[in-house]
Structures are given as structure tokens and as C-alpha cells.
Amino acid sequence: MIPYGRQSIDADDIAAVVAVLQGDRLTDGPAVERFEAALAEATGAPHVVACNSGTAALHLAAMALDLGPGDAAVVPSITFLSTANVPHHTGAAVRFADVDPDTGLLTPETLEQALARPGPGTPRAVFPVHLNGQVCDMAWIAAVAERHGLAVVEDACHALGGGARLDGARVPVGAATASAAACFSFHPVKTVAMGEGGAVTTRDAEMAARMRRLRTHGFTRDPALFQADAQAFDADGVPNPWYYEMAEPGHNFRASDLHCALGASQLRKLDRFLTRRRALAALHDRALAPLAPRLRPIPRGPSEDDGWHLYVVRIDFEAVGRSRAEVMRALAAAGIGTQVHYIPVHRQPFYRALDPDLHLPGAEAYHARCLSIPLFPDMADADVDRVAGALAEALG
């Protein structure tokens, strides 16, 4: 079976995890800081906060921005559930934005439309999603956000290694030069795997410090932040070694040294992983060209500098005369794994009950045609031909 995505684990990755197992610290140890330093180098961001998932990364950013009751966050409807659920969990309203029907990306136009549409809460943030690894037009989204007083949090969970064009120069995804923060996932199907893991990058030192507290229940051992001085210090003014304080509640969002050791080892191979993913994408382009017009790859996004997390095709199922489920079952029978990324979140029962009349035609059109086919570094060139042949047969 060729899955749609899979981690690539080598002997050096295993050795890195074994070294932690043989050491003294399985969590809260030096491997976390080493991973954060490696991701800072890869993204160009001065501050990195590692955590236990991409969802936790989004949650930390939303909490650090004080999103809460009375606020609203704009979220594109084509994304995973967590992008919308996170602002909801902080008490903010979610205002869904439509997307480009061919790329699935939030655009400046669909952002403006979402802001103009009446809804609960005052918009305070926008969460652009770099879907499939394709990077949104961050220069224009940042301009719209600035005009409306919105904080920008990039959902970059698909886009590690990609880049945006800002002021004529390439800026790595995660540098956070056009946003308050960028959030990453290191789930096994992502470009870099930690098993489960995530991180937030930012250029704001105070935001980073607050997120580090929030990922560990909100407490601190920093004497400079202590408020209950009588308990915090001994008679000589020296901090008591057992003392800590919690000024605001947080969560247990920490990443362990085991996960971070794997993540740091994987980051050393990021360039190789991306080179292979891009080569496979080019092979897919050529192998699938004869299946047009009933099947076409999604067009390249505005940055044309993608992270290539997923390879997605658009299929005119009506013209083919087969449903998507039938095509997916036929491919599975041929040993080809596929997936759909994603069901529009505004159609989920919970959110549909909040706004039953919301219609987002771009999101509906993208969802109706999209199918993710295999893309991961350990694929062989021959696997691409096998996928193309299976698709041709499944489509009749």
C-alpha cells in the first residue's frame, strides 16, 4: 500500500531518541532547547516555543493575544478543525472566510468579505492557513489586517520550508515578519516528524515568554515576576528554591525531550526532504498531464515557493461519472492511499448550528473536487507512475 503520506525515519533519528532514553531527562531537558534553536535557524525567527501539537501551538498564540469573549477571529473554512476550535476555546467567536476555489487558500478578497459580513464579536485576529504547503499572499493579507487592526497568526502546519515574497525578497515561512506568530505541526505525515509535536515562532520576546509560561500551566520560577514577596524570598532576599507562582492559568502543552530529539534530527534533513518532495511533485505533474481536463493538479499558489506537504488534484467527478468515494475505493483496491483535505469547517454540525445560512461557494467548490494523493520522501519514482496508472483506471 502506498499511503498518501508517511514519515521518513533513519538510523540517526533512532539514535537521537535512544540517546535521550539513556540520559537523565526525558522531559524539560536540553533536547527541547536544542530543537527550538534548530527551528529558529530554519525559519529565521528569533523566538521559538516548542509544544506538543500544532493545535497547542495555535492555542498558545491565541491565548498570548488575549483572544476572548467579545472578540472574533477570521478563519478560512478549508482547514483542519483545530484552526477554528482554538479561538472558540478561548471564548472568541469564529467568523469563517471563503477561499479561492482552485487553491483553497484565504485571499485578501475573501478576508475582506468575511470582515464585511455581520457576525458576533469584534474581529481582532485572522488565521491564514498555508494549505497543502502553499503559502498565502502574506503581503496583501498583512495589509488588510493592518487596515482593520487585526493580529495575524499563520497556520503554517503544512508549510515548513516554504517561503513568502515580502518587499521583493524571499522570507521563510515562520520568520513571522508579516504576522504576530506562525504555528507548526510535526505530526508524522508532515515534512518533519516528531511523532506528535508543534511549535510557535514569533519576533515578539514578551509574547514568547508568555507562551512558555502558558505551555506549563502558566507558572513561573522567575524571581523577577514574583508577586507574593513574603513567601517567595527568605530573610536575606534570596528566592526560595521550592517556590513558583501562577499569575494566569495555562495548560500542559509541553513537548518532551524524546519528541524534540527526533524533531531536531529530522530538521537537519529538511532541505533533503523538501528537494525530494518537490521532485516528486514535478513527476506527478508530468505523469498526470494526460488525465486533463477531468483531473488537474491544484494550481500553484501566489508564492510559488511551497512547502509541499500534500499533493492535491482536482477531479470533475460529475464528468467522470463516478463519485469520489467510488474513486477512493478503487484506488485503495489498487494499493493507493488517498485522503480529502478538508471538509469545510463551516459545514460541521457545531458551527452550522451557529450560522445555518452561511454559504461559502469557493470552499464548497474546492472541497467538491479535491483529493490528496501520495507524496512523501521515501516514494520511488516508479510509485508515481503506479499512482497515475491507478488514477487513470479509477477514472475510467
Side-chain angles (χ1 to χ4, degrees), residues 10 22 46 85 96 124 128 151 168 214 243 261 307 318 337 339 363 376 383 394:
D10 299 321
Q22 293 174 331
N85 287 349
F96 288 106
R124 281 199 54 233
L214 289 168
Y243 190 77
E318 184 176 350
Q339 190 52 274
F376 54 93
D383 291 335

Side-chain angles (χ1 to χ4, degrees), residues 73-85 94-99 104 114 117 342-368:
V74 179
V75 175
S77 187
I78 296 295
T79 184
F80 187 54
L81 302 170
S82 56
T83 319
N85 287 349
V94 179
R95 192 170 298 189
F96 288 106
D98 207 354
V99 297
R117 190 174 66 244
Y342 295 98
I343 300 170
V345 187
H346 78 278
R347 283 176 36 184
Q348 295 295 338
F350 176 83
Y351 291 109
R352 189 172 64 238
L354 298 177
D355 195 352
D357 297 324
L358 180 60
H359 178 54
L360 300 175
E364 299 286 355
Y366 180 86
H367 167 68

Side-chain angles (χ1 to χ4, degrees), residues 294 315-324 326-327 394-396:
R294 293 184 177 186
I315 300 174
D316 187 342
F317 293 102
E318 184 176 350
V320 169
R322 283 187 163 187
S323 71
R324 178 161 48 196
E326 290 173 327
V327 171
L395 298 177

Side-chain angles (χ1 to χ4, degrees), residues 160-181:
L160 181 65
R165 301 298 299 181
L166 296 170
D167 297 326
R170 182 190 188 274
V171 178
V173 170
T177 55
S179 64

Side-chain angles (χ1 to χ4, degrees), residues 264-315:
S265 177
Q266 290 262 296
L267 276 172
R268 288 192 286 272
K269 293 174 278 192
L270 177 59
D271 288 344
R272 172 161 66 87
F273 287 162
L274 285 169
T275 297
R276 181 59 181 160
R277 284 176 175 272
R278 288 165 177 157
L280 287 166
L283 289 174
H284 272 315
D285 287 347
R286 289 194 290 272
L288 297 174
L291 303 185
R294 293 184 177 186
L295 180 151
R296 296 184 188 275
I298 59 170
R300 301 297 181 257
S303 74
E304 297 186 354
D305 187 2
D306 305 325
W308 281 112
H309 165 46
L310 298 170
Y311 190 96
V312 179
V313 295
R314 298 165 295 158
I315 300 174

Side-chain angles (χ1 to χ4, degrees), residues 40 42-47 128 130 135-143 145-146 150-154 156 162-184 200-204 207:
T43 61
H47 306 287
H130 301 319
V135 184
C136 296
D137 191 335
M138 288 305 301
W140 281 105
I141 287 175
E146 183 177 9
L150 306 178
V152 179
V153 176
E154 297 173 74
R165 301 298 299 181
L166 296 170
D167 297 326
R170 182 190 188 274
V171 178
V173 170
T177 55
S179 64
C183 301
F184 292 93
V200 189
T201 62
T202 182
R203 309 192 78 79
D204 187 325
M207 185 177 183

